[in-house]
């Protein structure tokens, strides 16, 4: 199988300690557990779904999703784990808006015409880990970008994404049930939590593919 993993900094592997890239990020954990399959990494720091970052507009996935999919096809499965950056205070977004964005991504992935002679891939939507409450109380490197509303809506994202998955009869997984952000910056995973998430992804995919 070819599994395309589309996400933001927690897919890219941003290390909250120094901002460099984890060598043992969840995608590499998954690759080690599935050596007979190909894990394709598509993580981008700051990636949004529908919101346009005025400083880096190219981070918006909806504008480049078709290109991403076409450049990697054929793929057998697409994993989507996005939504955290939509909660920055420059985007006054709610969890329901994040779900709308993921729904638009799902529509594009399910477009048979785009895949030409190849099969339409399966989809696994993963709700991202939560922004910690400490983002507001203790701050951190990203405290100016996220606020109390960000933390509140972060807790509602999983429920909204689950509704989208039920509507399109695709698979859903709540990443926050398996991993959490580091207390260093309250938003990015440490190596141990990347390991936990990668192992959880492996278990979920095993169930999906039998």
């Amino acid at each position: 199988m070819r599994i395309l993993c589309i996400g933001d900094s927690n897919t890219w592997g941003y290390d909250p300690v120094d901002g460099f890239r984890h060598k043992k990020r969840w995608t590499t954990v998954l690759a080690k557990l599935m050596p007979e399959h190909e894990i394709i990494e598509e993580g981008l720091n700051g990636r949004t779904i529908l919101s346009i970052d005025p400083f880096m507009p190219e981070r918006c996935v909806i504008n480049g999703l078709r290109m991403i999919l076409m450049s990697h096809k054929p793929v057998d499965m697409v994993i989507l784990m996005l939504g955290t950056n939509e909660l920055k205070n420059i985007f006054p977004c709610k969890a329901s808006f994040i779900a709308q964005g993921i729904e638009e991504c799902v529509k594009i992935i399910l477009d048979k015409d785009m895949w030409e002679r190849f099969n339409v891939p399966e989809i696994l939507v993963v709700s991202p880990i939560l922004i910690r409450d400490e983002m507001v109380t203790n701050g951190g490197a990203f405290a100016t970008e996220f606020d109390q509303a960000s933390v509140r809506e972060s807790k509602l994202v999983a429920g909204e994404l689950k509704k989208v998955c039920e509507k399109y009869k695709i698979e859903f997984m709540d990443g926050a049930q398996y991993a959490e952000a580091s207390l260093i910056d309250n938003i990015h995973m440490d190596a141990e939590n990347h390991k936990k998430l990668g192992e959880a992804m492996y278990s979920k995919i095993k169930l999906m593919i039998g």
Side-chain angles (χ1 to χ4, degrees):
M1 288 184 66
R2 286 168 51 80
I3 302 174
L4 176 61
C5 307
I6 302 175
D8 51 31
S9 54
N10 271 324
T11 296
W12 184 84
Y14 185 98
D15 190 335
V17 174
D18 54 19
F20 287 100
R21 196 177 195 186
H22 281 295
K23 290 183 179 179
K24 294 182 179 180
R25 49 198 177 270
W26 72 261
T27 46
T28 60
V29 171
L30 185 60
K32 188 173 182 179
L33 291 168
M34 304 181 70
E36 70 277 23
H37 302 285
E38 185 176 358
I39 307 302
I40 306 166
E41 297 180 285
E42 257 297 341
L44 173 65
N45 293 330
R47 177 174 272 156
T48 56
I49 308 170
L50 298 177
S51 301
I52 304 295
D53 185 326
F55 303 105
M56 296 188 75
E58 61 271 21
R59 286 173 167 171
C60 181
V61 76
I62 202 71
N63 293 330
L65 183 57
R66 288 184 181 274
M67 179 180 66
I68 290 171
L69 297 174
M70 287 188 291
S71 68
H72 291 296
K73 68 181 178 184
V75 296
D76 302 291
M77 183 182 298
V78 176
I79 298 175
L80 282 174
M81 188 171 74
L82 289 163
T84 300
N85 290 302
E86 230 80 15
L87 297 174
K88 289 179 178 178
N89 50 35
I90 61 169
F91 311 125
C93 297
K94 294 189 176 295
S96 57
F97 179 78
I98 290 170
Q100 290 173 25
I102 291 295
E103 181 171 2
E104 292 305 309
C105 291
V106 167
K107 289 177 183 177
I108 291 172
I109 297 168
L110 292 178
D111 181 2
K112 294 180 180 179
D113 292 336
M114 191 191 65
W115 297 101
E116 300 174 318
R117 62 188 181 277
F118 301 114
N119 293 328
V120 176
E122 291 187 69
I123 303 174
L124 170 60
V125 172
V126 181
S127 183
I129 62 169
L130 302 181
I131 301 172
R132 298 186 71 102
D133 293 341
E134 288 85 353
M135 180 70 80
V136 177
T137 58
N138 297 342
F142 297 91
T144 59
E145 297 184 53
F146 298 89
D147 53 26
Q148 195 165 6
S150 308
V151 173
R152 182 186 67 246
E153 292 298 318
S154 173
K155 297 173 182 177
L156 302 176
V157 171
E160 295 295 327
L161 293 185
K162 189 175 182 181
K163 294 176 188 175
V164 173
C165 293
E166 289 171 348
K167 178 179 177 180
Y168 288 89
K169 295 180 173 58
I170 57 177
E171 294 291 330
F172 170 77
M173 179 179 139
D174 184 358
Q177 295 295 313
Y178 305 96
E180 62 183 3
S182 166
L183 280 165
I184 295 174
D185 70 4
N186 304 306
I187 195 169
H188 294 110
M189 292 182 286
D190 58 19
E192 180 59 28
N193 279 280
H194 270 280
K195 181 175 183 290
K196 290 178 180 178
L197 185 60
E199 290 172 346
M201 293 270 200
Y202 172 63
S203 297
K204 178 66 176 179
I205 293 169
K206 276 180 63 179
L207 288 174
M208 290 175 64
I209 65 178

